Amino acid sequence: QVQLVESGGGLVQAGGSLRLSCAASGRTFSSYAMGWFRQAPGKEREFVAKIAGRDGRTYYADSVKGRFTIARDNAKITVFLQMNDLKPEDTAVYYCAAGSYSLGSYDFWGQGTQVTVSS
């Protein structure tokens, strides 16, 4: 069992930056891939980025590539999402999740943190 708690959301102007954190519990954290997803009002949840558990491979949605960076600290059992050059269309609730990198399936989810980007 893995429990996930996101933090770091807030209100920022377009062009600004935010860093999201996702603190995990559980001794098997390093064996899980971690992903970030987001859901805007009236839209379906969408994939943002993922990072593998052991070798640190990363993969990004085209919409955030070059602006967002995912990283993890297995010692601190935390995953981060550095978001730069934010745009109003990045406004959403952001969720972290733990699961399988290759399958793209996620078994554990956090409660989400709101990110609002004003124009």
Side-chain angles (χ1 to χ4, degrees), residues 19-57:
R19 188 194 196 205
L20 304 183
S21 299
C22 175
S25 65
R27 291 175 289 181
T28 59
F29 174 76
S30 62
S31 66
Y32 285 98
M34 298 298 297
W36 283 98
F37 293 78
R38 65 187 181 187
Q39 187 166 20
K43 295 187 178 181
E44 294 188 353
R45 186 173 61 197
E46 65 173 356
F47 166 79
V48 174
K50 64 179 178 180
I51 184 166
R54 302 193 186 279
D55 62 15
R57 285 173 294 156

Side-chain angles (χ1 to χ4, degrees), residues 67-100:
R67 300 188 298 123
F68 291 11
T69 302
I70 188 171
R72 67 190 295 158
D73 184 334
N74 286 338
K76 296 182 179 179
I77 54 174
T78 302
V79 62
F80 306 96
L81 186 69
Q82 177 67 43
M83 305 185 294
N84 298 329
D85 189 24
L86 283 161
K87 303 176 181 180
E89 51 263 43
D90 295 318
T91 295
V93 178
Y94 283 71
Y95 300 89
C96 70
S100 167

